[in-house]
Amino acid sequence: MQALLLTSPNRFTIRLLRPHSPAIRVAALSNLQERPAMRLPVITASLTLATAISLYGQSKPPVPPSDYGQWESLATFREYGGLSPDGKWLAYAITRSNRNNELRVTNIADGTTKTIAFGAEPAFSSDSRWVAYSIGISEAQEEKLKKEKKPVPKKIGILNLTTGDLSTVDGIESFAFSPDGAWLAMRRTPPEKKDSDKKDSSDASEVDDTPAGAALLLRQLSTGRDASFGNVSEYAWQNVPKTGTLLAMTINAEDKTGNGIQIFDVHTAAVRVLDTSASVYSGLSWRKKSADLAVLRAKSDDHHEGPTQVALAWTNLGQSSESAPVYDPTADAKFPAATRTVSFHKPEWALDGGIVFLGLAKWEDKIGEPAKPATPAADATKTADASKSNDASAKDTGAAKNKDEDEQPAVDVWNWRDVEVMPKQKLNAKNDRQKNMLAAWHLGKNSLVPLGKDLDERITPLKHQSLAVSADWSAYAMERSIGRPAADIALVDVSAGARTKIQDGLNDDHYLEESPAGRYLLYFHDDHYWTVNTATHAVVNITQNAQTSFVDRESDWTIKQKPPFGIAGWTKDDAAVILYDKFDLWQVAPDGSMDRHQQAHLSQLVWHQVEEIRFRSPPARCFRRPH
């Protein structure tokens, strides 16, 4: 067995082991979801450790407050960084109480480490030759700049993992590697909007904020040469791992001159303009593993507040079969009245590419300014003379009054029917303004099918079916606000919008999930697991005959439904689902076809199967827990 120990100054240790070592198998077992059965050993170990620390503390003075800031915590990255794609590098962070954090990038083979002060958000290139990360400043420096109303500088670092060379680029807000790892896109920090510090987002009226454009640098990492694009508000690489070559950009200039959608091909160095107009573009969205792109283009109306959005899509970009459907809600006679498509719901592609999901919300009418009352000419002259004589004195007294007068107290009016208290309403004001209802844009028919019916409803499209799941909690808003989740569940036909009721008053929709192949929905209700066949819509209680309980009755949760022990996973083609009870694993057929004896027998088979295969396969998802 080979291992590498990475130790920080405060004795944090990371142990990296070969995949087939016994320690890895033990670690896999220990990483399973914690169950109450494991609490006793943990408590015993905690008491032993506390006793040891207490005895050790009798011979050592307590840590002085001046050293508190040096206490460290180890943080690993999942979405950004962690292990490099080839498994030869590890990026992790050391966070300290005094905020003097650092990023460390370690070569696993020889243990050499690069340390970057205030480094964060590392990302490896797909070829494992580069790692990029953001670089911040100390907390004291940041507070000082904010007090002085100066911008907080942002920059990134780029580390060549082959040569060890480090470089930095100032003024960068975001960055992203190309799918093949050969290019790095870096967007500069856009200029601050005028009077942005005077606006209170919690009190501002609902508008579609115009994204600010900024320079985008595109660096070829092998040569270090940069290409620059101006007024880029959004950018996104083609979502094709290893081979994607296209970079999509929305161009939004301050005067809207030259606004549009542009595509840059890094292999041919060709720029193509897909669309251009004096409109605002937003919501770039590539379909996974394809050359399909969707975006929104704003369209204003003199009679309504804020713009609606025209949906644009391109399928098979650059190929002979390329098409470019456009959906304009203002030109669709069947589009719901007083409704608009919104920019704060980014377009979402269905897996097969035939549907793009959009967001709908109410389109408020503009409220005209009240007309000023007409004033006779004589009265106007008299008023003008009076205002001139009192102008100077009014300015002096007004200035003194504003200077000396205390801020007037504000009054918040809360209605007893309001679900949320006033402080929470203020915190959630922006999110509440951006609530929307899901709709399906069918590209082949160029038609829109509204799926949502209420703003207090979550519609989740299923990945492998022409269906979506509706979780409507409008009738349980008060219960949810105090931590007692409940919802009415229904299946929604994406092609027509028709609904099939599944369960009213589901105790907790958190446990509602789709099977990997999309054949079933699984949820937990009234102490049992239930499935919904997505083809026939049949609802079955699959654990009613089980010789065990899947409910954690020792949980201290104060809600109606105690939580289950959890789900370990599914077998191939959704043939069975693996469920935890307090100690064991149970393999249960999702159609409820297994009787009590078969379920008990299969739970033992899972134990023997795992024992036989775990030495030559990746860590299994399910193990029998020790008694």
Side-chain angles (χ1 to χ4, degrees), residues 141-219:
Q141 289 177 307
E142 186 173 347
E143 289 179 356
K144 182 181 178 182
L145 291 173
K146 288 182 178 179
K147 287 181 179 179
E148 296 174 353
K149 295 184 178 181
K150 295 181 179 179
V152 178
K154 297 180 181 179
K155 63 180 179 180
I156 68 167
I158 306 171
L159 172 61
N160 187 326
L161 297 175
T162 303
T163 65
D165 293 338
L166 278 167
S167 61
T168 59
V169 184
D170 293 331
I172 300 299
E173 182 184 59
S174 63
F175 61 90
F177 284 105
S178 61
D180 62 0
W183 299 77
L184 180 65
M186 302 171 284
R187 182 172 177 265
R188 290 201 176 276
T189 304
E192 292 187 4
K193 292 184 179 181
K194 296 178 181 179
D195 300 327
S196 60
D197 56 337
K198 297 180 182 179
K199 294 181 180 179
D200 184 356
S201 61
S202 64
D203 296 329
S205 59
E206 193 276 320
V207 294
D208 289 277
D209 293 330
T210 302
L216 180 75
L217 302 179
L218 187 59
R219 175 168 297 184

Side-chain angles (χ1 to χ4, degrees), residues 426-446:
K426 291 182 178 180
L427 289 175
N428 295 342
K430 182 177 181 181
N431 291 335
D432 289 342
R433 288 194 299 270
Q434 293 187 351
K435 285 183 177 180
N436 57 89
M437 297 172 291
L438 196 69
W441 173 29
H442 295 262
L443 302 186
K445 302 176 181 178
N446 198 23

Side-chain angles (χ1 to χ4, degrees), residues 99-155:
R99 306 298 183 187
N100 291 332
N101 304 332
E102 62 188 32
L103 173 68
R104 297 179 183 179
V105 181
T106 298
N107 186 320
I108 296 175
D110 57 21
T112 57
T113 300
K114 291 281 188 180
T115 301
I116 302 98
F118 306 109
E121 298 180 344
F124 288 99
S125 60
S126 61
D127 57 7
S128 299
R129 296 181 179 180
W130 305 84
V131 61
Y133 45 84
S134 62
I135 302 176
I137 58 177
S138 69
E139 191 176 49
Q141 289 177 307
E142 186 173 347
E143 289 179 356
K144 182 181 178 182
L145 291 173
K146 288 182 178 179
K147 287 181 179 179
E148 296 174 353
K149 295 184 178 181
K150 295 181 179 179
V152 178
K154 297 180 181 179
K155 63 180 179 180

Side-chain angles (χ1 to χ4, degrees), residues 310-386:
V310 176
L312 312 176
W314 292 265
T315 59
N316 301 317
L317 267 171
Q319 303 173 24
S320 57
S321 58
E322 178 181 320
S323 63
V326 178
Y327 179 76
D328 185 349
T330 62
D332 185 358
K334 297 181 180 179
F335 190 77
T339 305
R340 62 171 176 151
T341 49
V342 294
S343 63
F344 41 79
H345 186 113
K346 189 176 180 179
E348 302 172 75
W349 284 90
L351 284 182
D352 62 3
I355 297 173
V356 175
F357 295 100
L358 307 174
L360 306 181
K362 186 177 180 181
W363 203 0
E364 301 285 354
D365 292 332
K366 278 188 177 179
I367 301 176
E369 296 183 1
K372 296 181 180 180
T375 305
D379 293 344
T381 305
K382 188 183 295 184
T383 304
D385 293 339

Side-chain angles (χ1 to χ4, degrees), residues 249-411:
M249 299 171 285
T250 58
I251 309 299
N252 285 308
E254 188 174 357
D255 59 358
K256 299 184 179 180
T257 301
N259 282 11
I261 302 295
Q262 296 183 5
I263 296 292
F264 179 73
D265 191 329
V266 295
H267 279 189
T268 63
V271 177
R272 178 184 172 190
V273 179
L274 297 181
D275 192 73
T276 183
S277 68
S279 304
V280 175
Y281 293 81
S282 62
L284 281 175
S285 179
W286 287 98
R287 184 167 73 91
K288 290 182 179 180
K289 300 179 181 180
S290 74
D292 299 347
L293 177 68
V295 73
L296 300 174
R297 183 180 67 202
K299 183 176 182 179
S300 299
D301 187 317
D302 294 337
H303 304 290
H304 294 89
E305 294 286 353
T308 188
Q309 302 293 323
V310 176
L312 312 176
W314 292 265
T315 59
N316 301 317
L317 267 171
Q319 303 173 24
S320 57
S321 58
E322 178 181 320
S323 63
V326 178
Y327 179 76
D328 185 349
T330 62
D332 185 358
K334 297 181 180 179
F335 190 77
T339 305
R340 62 171 176 151
T341 49
V342 294
S343 63
F344 41 79
H345 186 113
K346 189 176 180 179
E348 302 172 75
W349 284 90
L351 284 182
D352 62 3
I355 297 173
V356 175
F357 295 100
L358 307 174
L360 306 181
K362 186 177 180 181
W363 203 0
E364 301 285 354
D365 292 332
K366 278 188 177 179
I367 301 176
E369 296 183 1
K372 296 181 180 180
T375 305
D379 293 344
T381 305
K382 188 183 295 184
T383 304
D385 293 339
S387 63
K388 287 180 181 178
S389 61
N390 296 328
D391 216 13
S393 59
K395 287 182 180 180
D396 295 337
T397 56
K401 188 176 182 181
N402 291 336
K403 183 177 180 181
D404 299 333
E405 200 175 56
D406 293 334
E407 184 179 353
Q408 293 297 321
V411 177

Side-chain angles (χ1 to χ4, degrees), residues 458-600:
R458 182 181 67 244
I459 303 289
T460 306
L462 300 183
K463 295 179 180 179
H464 304 283
Q465 303 288 339
S466 183
L467 294 169
V469 181
S470 164
D472 183 2
W473 53 76
S474 57
Y476 313 97
M478 183 63 73
E479 287 84 350
R480 294 182 74 94
S481 70
I482 57 176
R484 297 177 180 176
D488 295 334
I489 306 301
L491 280 177
V492 184
D493 183 356
V494 173
S495 60
R499 296 192 172 207
T500 302
K501 184 174 71 173
I502 300 300
Q503 177 67 57
D504 285 342
L506 181 65
N507 293 328
D508 192 343
D509 59 306
H510 172 74
Y511 302 109
L512 182 68
E513 68 171 52
E514 178 187 7
S515 62
R519 295 173 58 193
Y520 297 95
L521 288 178
L522 179 69
Y523 64 90
F524 193 73
H525 182 69
D526 288 343
D527 295 348
H528 285 283
Y529 280 102
W530 303 69
T531 58
V532 182
N533 187 310
T534 55
T536 65
H537 299 178
V539 181
V540 178
N541 182 339
I542 63 172
T543 57
Q544 60 181 344
N545 295 321
Q547 296 177 323
T548 186
S549 173
F550 299 98
V551 186
D552 182 5
R553 307 221 178 258
E554 298 177 3
S555 170
D556 58 0
W557 290 14
T558 59
I559 59 177
K560 178 182 178 181
Q561 175 63 68
K562 292 290 186 178
F565 287 106
I567 303 167
W570 292 74
T571 60
K572 186 178 180 181
D573 297 328
D574 296 346
V577 59
I578 311 299
L579 305 176
Y580 287 113
D581 69 1
K582 188 172 184 179
F583 298 107
D584 299 328
L585 291 158
W586 292 72
Q587 179 171 303
V588 181
D591 59 0
S593 59
M594 295 182 185
D595 60 25
R596 181 179 303 181
H597 173 73
Q598 289 175 314
Q599 289 178 351

